[in-house]
Amino acid sequence: MRLSIPEQELMTPGHLACQGCGATLAMRYTLKALGNDTILTFPACCWSVIDGPFPYTSLKVPLLHMAFEATGATASGIKAALEIKGNTETTVVGWAGDGGTFDIGLQALSGAAERNEDFIYICYDNEAYMNTGIQRSGATPWGAWTATTPVENFNSIFKKNIEEILAAHRIPYVATASVAYPEDLVKKIKKAKGIKGFRFIHIFAPCPPGWKTRSEDTVKLARLAVQTTVFPLYEIENSEKYTINIVIKKRKPVNEYLELQGRFKHLKEEHINFIQENIDKNWEKLLKKAGLI
Amino acid sequence: MRKVIMGNHSLSYGALLSRVQVISAYPITPQTQVVELLSEMCASGELKAKFINVESEHSAMAALIGASAAGARTFSATSAHGLTLMHELLHWAAGARLPIVLGNINRAMAPGWTIWADQTDSLSQRDTGWIQFYCSSNQEVLDTIIQAFKISEKVLLPSMIVLDAFFLSHTYEPVDIPDQVVVDEYLPPYKPKYVLDTKDPHTFGGITSPEYYYEIRYKMEMGMRESVEVIKQAGKEYGELFGREYGLIEDYRCEDAEIIFITSGTAASTAKVVVDELREEGKKVGNLKIRVFRPFPFKELRRIIEHAKKVAVIDRNISFGHHGIFAQEVKSALYNHSNIPVFGFVAGLGGRDINPQTIKEIYHITESNEYPSEKVFWIGVKK
């Protein structure tokens, strides 16, 4: 049998993630795709902890931890240093959660994208500030409970469309990926590795404690997010060429995805209908952009 | 080569001669010419460095932290609000033990908006773990940049070179620009022991329990203490090669002085002129310039002033609810060592002139009072 995912493991067991953590799958597949000639930098995020406490680490590649809002700039500096020293081979990766990407890190991210810096920025998205205990972020979906959006006042702000924000910077590559579709994820990371300039990859990574889900449901939920088109898998090349990688012919109703999660338990039928309408609209827009309708 | 250049360009030439490899900066008045000249040097190929035009000072320092951790010699310059926006990452750079060198043009903080000189910006950063040099001439600025790389790379702590807005940043003075070959001899390339290297992977700056964090901070403090001797040695070696020696402090006519001014920055140059004038009137007076603020030169300062009867500390800064900051530091240096009265003066905030007349007024207050009648004297406040 031909394996499309490399066997090499650059992430070790013994990390500090919760059971069923989507972010660990995201990292494991990412490093398999990139290989060991990779330098990572993290802002404050779940991975600041998952990596393991000093003097240990669960990663076999060099890693620089940094302040919360600084990923875009830090990776720019690492790349500049490598280049001036004549190293054009090593892949530099800024690896941040949704808070460090959608919110506090957006300025440095935009600066780096605007300069078309030659590194890969990966956002693993668990849809809230999970490391500090489930507070809402700019990536939290409409309708969700979080510790700062209690059920009486659930999150009624739409998730930022980070792909469109990044694509508007005219960067060569923007892609979404999911831990439920590892072949697609690895393919995209490998593709990104071969492109020069700023590359942005948004990986959907469910969080059992934050979403109030069963740890064994992580991959199932990530797959349902794609099958319901809550989180479609697509690419935007040079800000204009849209490709949907997994085209869902028979979309599942959003309720199949929502009902498995405690964070949506309070929603009434009208709320679910509202969410469904918005997903339908977004999917149609995406199909149009991809030239499929 | 001798050239008439502005203080800001002294920083640029210092960085050029130090062969910096990554520069990252954001514009702010009165710093802009520093990085404008460096970007020209990079564009022309005179300086082989990467210049990153970032979108904020916070990102400027973040980029340098990344670049320094990846093994490059790094430089930036800023001022006032730019420096205070970097504040978080100043802690980070020092905690990560990265030998980044930063020029800061001392400018007062708003409101009201002002671009004039005042030391509160850099002194607010005193607990970030950066070595701080306060310069009094364009020559000293250039020479200190080169020394700072040598010192920082030895003790693994970042350095900040500070100069007064406009009084120095925009003032043209003749400066001896040393020969690159000799600078190369003095300052070899940066070769860090621990670096982001895919052939020898390590994690830097990860989560740290109480079991280790305390010791990491202790080692930082040891680095800072070690820097006292390293600064002296670097200043001495510099003197041997270039004929201009530097130390932690600079004492001027202090040997038999009864009253000693304690100054920093451009006020030190003015104070020296006043010392000469007062000496002609037969007054026994001297000036002690604090060149290095962190690490604070306790021993050197005590040695110079222990023979004096009074000291007058002139601060172009204020820690609200307390003193001028240099006055606090001098008092803490003397506590348990000497009962010499310390007169604290605040002057020149927000670019108000500290001219010879200001310093003479300070002298007369110090001379005519046995002990300071006020906790701190504000000189020249309009009633």
mmCIF file of all heavy atoms in Angstrom, chain B residues 2-36:
data_model
loop_
_atom_site.group_PDB
_atom_site.id
_atom_site.type_symbol
_atom_site.label_atom_id
_atom_site.label_comp_id
_atom_site.label_asym_id
_atom_site.label_seq_id
_atom_site.Cartn_x
_atom_site.Cartn_y
_atom_site.Cartn_z
ATOM 1 N N ARG B 2 37.253 61.679 9.980
ATOM 2 C CA ARG B 2 36.478 62.613 10.797
ATOM 3 C C ARG B 2 35.369 63.215 9.953
ATOM 4 O O ARG B 2 35.595 63.632 8.818
ATOM 5 C CB ARG B 2 37.397 63.719 11.303
ATOM 6 C CG ARG B 2 37.369 63.876 12.806
ATOM 7 C CD ARG B 2 38.431 64.823 13.288
ATOM 8 N NE ARG B 2 37.894 65.718 14.319
ATOM 9 C CZ ARG B 2 37.524 65.315 15.524
ATOM 10 N NH1 ARG B 2 37.595 64.041 15.850
ATOM 11 N NH2 ARG B 2 37.061 66.179 16.406
ATOM 12 N N LYS B 3 34.175 63.247 10.519
ATOM 13 C CA LYS B 3 33.032 63.700 9.757
ATOM 14 C C LYS B 3 32.092 64.458 10.700
ATOM 15 O O LYS B 3 31.966 64.081 11.874
ATOM 16 C CB LYS B 3 32.300 62.446 9.229
ATOM 17 C CG LYS B 3 31.668 62.623 7.871
ATOM 18 C CD LYS B 3 31.198 61.284 7.340
ATOM 19 C CE LYS B 3 30.296 61.506 6.157
ATOM 20 N NZ LYS B 3 29.852 60.283 5.538
ATOM 21 N N VAL B 4 31.467 65.514 10.167
ATOM 22 C CA VAL B 4 30.503 66.234 10.999
ATOM 23 C C VAL B 4 29.133 65.583 10.783
ATOM 24 O O VAL B 4 28.578 65.643 9.681
ATOM 25 C CB VAL B 4 30.461 67.739 10.638
ATOM 26 C CG1 VAL B 4 29.401 68.455 11.475
ATOM 27 C CG2 VAL B 4 31.833 68.373 10.875
ATOM 28 N N ILE B 5 28.632 64.925 11.803
ATOM 29 C CA ILE B 5 27.356 64.197 11.658
ATOM 30 C C ILE B 5 26.432 64.471 12.833
ATOM 31 O O ILE B 5 26.860 64.893 13.908
ATOM 32 C CB ILE B 5 27.551 62.664 11.515
ATOM 33 C CG1 ILE B 5 28.332 62.090 12.694
ATOM 34 C CG2 ILE B 5 28.215 62.313 10.203
ATOM 35 C CD1 ILE B 5 28.393 60.561 12.703
ATOM 36 N N MET B 6 25.151 64.211 12.619
ATOM 37 C CA MET B 6 24.161 64.385 13.683
ATOM 38 C C MET B 6 24.173 63.159 14.600
ATOM 39 O O MET B 6 24.632 62.080 14.219
ATOM 40 C CB MET B 6 22.763 64.607 13.094
ATOM 41 C CG MET B 6 22.172 63.378 12.448
ATOM 42 S SD MET B 6 20.685 63.673 11.435
ATOM 43 C CE MET B 6 19.696 64.701 12.461
ATOM 44 N N GLY B 7 23.653 63.350 15.806
ATOM 45 C CA GLY B 7 23.637 62.257 16.784
ATOM 46 C C GLY B 7 22.947 61.019 16.254
ATOM 47 O O GLY B 7 23.401 59.899 16.456
ATOM 48 N N ASN B 8 21.852 61.230 15.539
ATOM 49 C CA ASN B 8 21.130 60.081 14.997
ATOM 50 C C ASN B 8 21.999 59.287 14.026
ATOM 51 O O ASN B 8 21.964 58.052 14.014
ATOM 52 C CB ASN B 8 19.855 60.546 14.285
ATOM 53 C CG ASN B 8 18.712 60.755 15.275
ATOM 54 O OD1 ASN B 8 18.773 60.271 16.403
ATOM 55 N ND2 ASN B 8 17.697 61.478 14.848
ATOM 56 N N HIS B 9 22.772 59.995 13.215
ATOM 57 C CA HIS B 9 23.632 59.285 12.264
ATOM 58 C C HIS B 9 24.812 58.605 12.959
ATOM 59 O O HIS B 9 25.372 57.649 12.425
ATOM 60 C CB HIS B 9 24.076 60.230 11.145
ATOM 61 C CG HIS B 9 22.956 60.548 10.191
ATOM 62 N ND1 HIS B 9 23.069 61.489 9.211
ATOM 63 C CD2 HIS B 9 21.707 60.028 10.082
ATOM 64 C CE1 HIS B 9 21.921 61.549 8.532
ATOM 65 N NE2 HIS B 9 21.088 60.681 9.047
ATOM 66 N N SER B 10 25.162 59.083 14.139
ATOM 67 C CA SER B 10 26.179 58.371 14.933
ATOM 68 C C SER B 10 25.688 56.968 15.265
ATOM 69 O O SER B 10 26.453 56.006 15.239
ATOM 70 C CB SER B 10 26.451 59.105 16.243
ATOM 71 O OG SER B 10 27.248 60.227 16.016
ATOM 72 N N LEU B 11 24.404 56.861 15.543
ATOM 73 C CA LEU B 11 23.832 55.538 15.799
ATOM 74 C C LEU B 11 23.920 54.679 14.541
ATOM 75 O O LEU B 11 24.307 53.510 14.594
ATOM 76 C CB LEU B 11 22.354 55.668 16.206
ATOM 77 C CG LEU B 11 22.037 56.093 17.642
ATOM 78 C CD1 LEU B 11 20.569 56.461 17.759
ATOM 79 C CD2 LEU B 11 22.362 55.002 18.639
ATOM 80 N N SER B 12 23.578 55.291 13.393
ATOM 81 C CA SER B 12 23.598 54.528 12.137
ATOM 82 C C SER B 12 25.016 54.052 11.818
ATOM 83 O O SER B 12 25.208 52.888 11.452
ATOM 84 C CB SER B 12 23.085 55.378 10.968
ATOM 85 O OG SER B 12 22.005 56.173 11.351
ATOM 86 N N TYR B 13 25.994 54.939 11.949
ATOM 87 C CA TYR B 13 27.380 54.550 11.667
ATOM 88 C C TYR B 13 27.869 53.489 12.651
ATOM 89 O O TYR B 13 28.603 52.575 12.275
ATOM 90 C CB TYR B 13 28.316 55.767 11.668
ATOM 91 C CG TYR B 13 28.297 56.519 10.348
ATOM 92 C CD1 TYR B 13 27.594 57.702 10.206
ATOM 93 C CD2 TYR B 13 28.972 56.010 9.238
ATOM 94 C CE1 TYR B 13 27.554 58.381 8.993
ATOM 95 C CE2 TYR B 13 28.942 56.678 8.022
ATOM 96 C CZ TYR B 13 28.233 57.861 7.899
ATOM 97 O OH TYR B 13 28.197 58.513 6.690
ATOM 98 N N GLY B 14 27.445 53.618 13.900
ATOM 99 C CA GLY B 14 27.816 52.610 14.895
ATOM 100 C C GLY B 14 27.295 51.241 14.500
ATOM 101 O O GLY B 14 27.994 50.231 14.590
ATOM 102 N N ALA B 15 26.051 51.208 14.019
ATOM 103 C CA ALA B 15 25.440 49.938 13.593
ATOM 104 C C ALA B 15 26.141 49.397 12.349
ATOM 105 O O ALA B 15 26.394 48.198 12.232
ATOM 106 C CB ALA B 15 23.955 50.133 13.326
ATOM 107 N N LEU B 16 26.462 50.304 11.417
ATOM 108 C CA LEU B 16 27.164 49.902 10.190
ATOM 109 C C LEU B 16 28.506 49.253 10.533
ATOM 110 O O LEU B 16 28.818 48.158 10.056
ATOM 111 C CB LEU B 16 27.392 51.136 9.299
ATOM 112 C CG LEU B 16 28.317 50.948 8.099
ATOM 113 C CD1 LEU B 16 27.610 50.183 6.987
ATOM 114 C CD2 LEU B 16 28.824 52.283 7.567
ATOM 115 N N LEU B 17 29.273 49.954 11.384
ATOM 116 C CA LEU B 17 30.603 49.440 11.734
ATOM 117 C C LEU B 17 30.522 48.139 12.524
ATOM 118 O O LEU B 17 31.442 47.331 12.484
ATOM 119 C CB LEU B 17 31.371 50.503 12.537
ATOM 120 C CG LEU B 17 31.822 51.719 11.730
ATOM 121 C CD1 LEU B 17 32.260 52.847 12.657
ATOM 122 C CD2 LEU B 17 32.948 51.357 10.766
ATOM 123 N N SER B 18 29.406 47.947 13.232
ATOM 124 C CA SER B 18 29.226 46.704 13.998
ATOM 125 C C SER B 18 28.769 45.556 13.104
ATOM 126 O O SER B 18 28.584 44.443 13.576
ATOM 127 C CB SER B 18 28.207 46.919 15.119
ATOM 128 O OG SER B 18 28.615 47.965 15.957
ATOM 129 N N ARG B 19 28.593 45.843 11.821
ATOM 130 C CA ARG B 19 28.149 44.840 10.838
ATOM 131 C C ARG B 19 26.877 44.137 11.294
ATOM 132 O O ARG B 19 26.802 42.900 11.355
ATOM 133 C CB ARG B 19 29.242 43.802 10.585
ATOM 134 C CG ARG B 19 30.485 44.358 9.911
ATOM 135 C CD ARG B 19 31.368 43.203 9.467
ATOM 136 N NE ARG B 19 32.651 43.635 8.937
ATOM 137 C CZ ARG B 19 32.848 44.008 7.666
ATOM 138 N NH1 ARG B 19 31.850 44.035 6.813
ATOM 139 N NH2 ARG B 19 34.062 44.363 7.260
ATOM 140 N N VAL B 20 25.859 44.940 11.644
ATOM 141 C CA VAL B 20 24.590 44.329 12.051
ATOM 142 C C VAL B 20 24.001 43.572 10.859
ATOM 143 O O VAL B 20 24.238 43.929 9.706
ATOM 144 C CB VAL B 20 23.589 45.377 12.588
ATOM 145 C CG1 VAL B 20 24.144 46.063 13.818
ATOM 146 C CG2 VAL B 20 23.212 46.402 11.533
ATOM 147 N N GLN B 21 23.240 42.531 11.143
ATOM 148 C CA GLN B 21 22.730 41.670 10.064
ATOM 149 C C GLN B 21 21.221 41.801 9.845
ATOM 150 O O GLN B 21 20.743 41.605 8.742
ATOM 151 C CB GLN B 21 23.078 40.215 10.365
ATOM 152 C CG GLN B 21 24.573 39.960 10.338
ATOM 153 C CD GLN B 21 24.907 38.614 10.918
ATOM 154 O OE1 GLN B 21 24.664 38.361 12.093
ATOM 155 N NE2 GLN B 21 25.450 37.738 10.113
ATOM 156 N N VAL B 22 20.493 42.093 10.915
ATOM 157 C CA VAL B 22 19.056 42.329 10.752
ATOM 158 C C VAL B 22 18.689 43.616 11.498
ATOM 159 O O VAL B 22 19.036 43.787 12.669
ATOM 160 C CB VAL B 22 18.199 41.147 11.271
ATOM 161 C CG1 VAL B 22 16.707 41.471 11.157
ATOM 162 C CG2 VAL B 22 18.507 39.862 10.491
ATOM 163 N N ILE B 23 18.007 44.501 10.778
ATOM 164 C CA ILE B 23 17.496 45.746 11.361
ATOM 165 C C ILE B 23 15.988 45.715 11.165
ATOM 166 O O ILE B 23 15.510 45.325 10.095
ATOM 167 C CB ILE B 23 18.073 46.979 10.634
ATOM 168 C CG1 ILE B 23 19.601 46.986 10.731
ATOM 169 C CG2 ILE B 23 17.488 48.279 11.207
ATOM 170 C CD1 ILE B 23 20.264 47.848 9.676
ATOM 171 N N SER B 24 15.265 46.080 12.191
ATOM 172 C CA SER B 24 13.816 46.127 12.064
ATOM 173 C C SER B 24 13.367 47.381 12.789
ATOM 174 O O SER B 24 13.774 47.606 13.925
ATOM 175 C CB SER B 24 13.234 44.876 12.713
ATOM 176 O OG SER B 24 11.845 44.924 12.626
ATOM 177 N N ALA B 25 12.563 48.189 12.121
ATOM 178 C CA ALA B 25 12.254 49.470 12.754
ATOM 179 C C ALA B 25 10.943 50.046 12.271
ATOM 180 O O ALA B 25 10.424 49.681 11.215
ATOM 181 C CB ALA B 25 13.376 50.460 12.487
ATOM 182 N N TYR B 26 10.431 50.945 13.084
ATOM 183 C CA TYR B 26 9.209 51.691 12.800
ATOM 184 C C TYR B 26 9.549 53.155 13.052
ATOM 185 O O TYR B 26 10.262 53.458 13.997
ATOM 186 C CB TYR B 26 8.108 51.209 13.749
ATOM 187 C CG TYR B 26 6.735 51.740 13.434
ATOM 188 C CD1 TYR B 26 6.009 51.215 12.367
ATOM 189 C CD2 TYR B 26 6.169 52.754 14.188
ATOM 190 C CE1 TYR B 26 4.740 51.687 12.076
ATOM 191 C CE2 TYR B 26 4.900 53.230 13.895
ATOM 192 C CZ TYR B 26 4.194 52.696 12.835
ATOM 193 O OH TYR B 26 2.940 53.164 12.555
ATOM 194 N N PRO B 27 9.045 54.073 12.220
ATOM 195 C CA PRO B 27 9.473 55.466 12.397
ATOM 196 C C PRO B 27 8.825 56.163 13.591
ATOM 197 O O PRO B 27 7.653 55.927 13.874
ATOM 198 C CB PRO B 27 9.018 56.123 11.088
ATOM 199 C CG PRO B 27 7.896 55.274 10.594
ATOM 200 C CD PRO B 27 8.193 53.881 11.051
ATOM 201 N N ILE B 28 9.594 56.975 14.265
ATOM 202 C CA ILE B 28 9.062 57.879 15.289
ATOM 203 C C ILE B 28 10.016 59.059 15.407
ATOM 204 O O ILE B 28 11.233 58.869 15.394
ATOM 205 C CB ILE B 28 8.862 57.161 16.654
ATOM 206 C CG1 ILE B 28 8.261 58.124 17.688
ATOM 207 C CG2 ILE B 28 10.152 56.558 17.176
ATOM 208 C CD1 ILE B 28 7.769 57.458 18.964
ATOM 209 N N THR B 29 9.471 60.240 15.487
ATOM 210 C CA THR B 29 10.294 61.415 15.740
ATOM 211 C C THR B 29 10.745 61.350 17.202
ATOM 212 O O THR B 29 9.922 61.013 18.052
ATOM 213 C CB THR B 29 9.461 62.693 15.515
ATOM 214 O OG1 THR B 29 8.992 62.672 14.176
ATOM 215 C CG2 THR B 29 10.261 63.953 15.763
ATOM 216 N N PRO B 30 11.973 61.640 17.503
ATOM 217 C CA PRO B 30 13.089 62.137 16.689
ATOM 218 C C PRO B 30 14.090 61.063 16.264
ATOM 219 O O PRO B 30 15.243 61.375 16.030
ATOM 220 C CB PRO B 30 13.740 63.127 17.659
ATOM 221 C CG PRO B 30 13.456 62.575 19.019
ATOM 222 C CD PRO B 30 12.238 61.723 18.941
ATOM 223 N N GLN B 31 13.619 59.828 16.111
ATOM 224 C CA GLN B 31 14.540 58.730 15.788
ATOM 225 C C GLN B 31 14.744 58.539 14.298
ATOM 226 O O GLN B 31 15.708 57.913 13.871
ATOM 227 C CB GLN B 31 13.980 57.433 16.423
ATOM 228 C CG GLN B 31 14.402 56.116 15.820
ATOM 229 C CD GLN B 31 13.385 55.573 14.808
ATOM 230 O OE1 GLN B 31 12.738 56.324 14.088
ATOM 231 N NE2 GLN B 31 13.243 54.271 14.771
ATOM 232 N N THR B 32 13.844 59.057 13.452
ATOM 233 C CA THR B 32 13.729 58.602 12.058
ATOM 234 C C THR B 32 15.025 58.554 11.264
ATOM 235 O O THR B 32 15.252 57.615 10.512
ATOM 236 C CB THR B 32 12.716 59.473 11.294
ATOM 237 O OG1 THR B 32 12.970 60.832 11.608
ATOM 238 C CG2 THR B 32 11.304 59.134 11.673
ATOM 239 N N GLN B 33 15.893 59.548 11.435
ATOM 240 C CA GLN B 33 17.108 59.570 10.596
ATOM 241 C C GLN B 33 18.022 58.372 10.845
ATOM 242 O O GLN B 33 18.793 57.990 9.980
ATOM 243 C CB GLN B 33 17.927 60.844 10.825
ATOM 244 C CG GLN B 33 17.262 62.097 10.335
ATOM 245 C CD GLN B 33 16.482 62.785 11.442
ATOM 246 O OE1 GLN B 33 16.306 62.233 12.525
ATOM 247 N NE2 GLN B 33 16.013 63.983 11.160
ATOM 248 N N VAL B 34 17.927 57.801 12.038
ATOM 249 C CA VAL B 34 18.784 56.649 12.362
ATOM 250 C C VAL B 34 18.532 55.548 11.345
ATOM 251 O O VAL B 34 19.460 55.018 10.721
ATOM 252 C CB VAL B 34 18.477 56.097 13.779
ATOM 253 C CG1 VAL B 34 19.405 54.939 14.104
ATOM 254 C CG2 VAL B 34 18.544 57.175 14.831
ATOM 255 N N VAL B 35 17.262 55.208 11.187
ATOM 256 C CA VAL B 35 16.938 54.063 10.336
ATOM 257 C C VAL B 35 16.818 54.450 8.859
ATOM 258 O O VAL B 35 16.981 53.599 7.984
ATOM 259 C CB VAL B 35 15.699 53.299 10.843
ATOM 260 C CG1 VAL B 35 16.027 52.603 12.151
ATOM 261 C CG2 VAL B 35 14.498 54.182 10.985
ATOM 262 N N GLU B 36 16.563 55.728 8.598
ATOM 263 C CA GLU B 36 16.581 56.169 7.193
ATOM 264 C C GLU B 36 17.971 55.940 6.600
ATOM 265 O O GLU B 36 18.113 55.378 5.507
ATOM 266 C CB GLU B 36 16.230 57.657 7.086
ATOM 267 C CG GLU B 36 14.739 57.940 7.168
ATOM 268 C CD GLU B 36 14.422 59.422 7.303
ATOM 269 O OE1 GLU B 36 15.351 60.265 7.230
ATOM 270 O OE2 GLU B 36 13.246 59.736 7.492
#
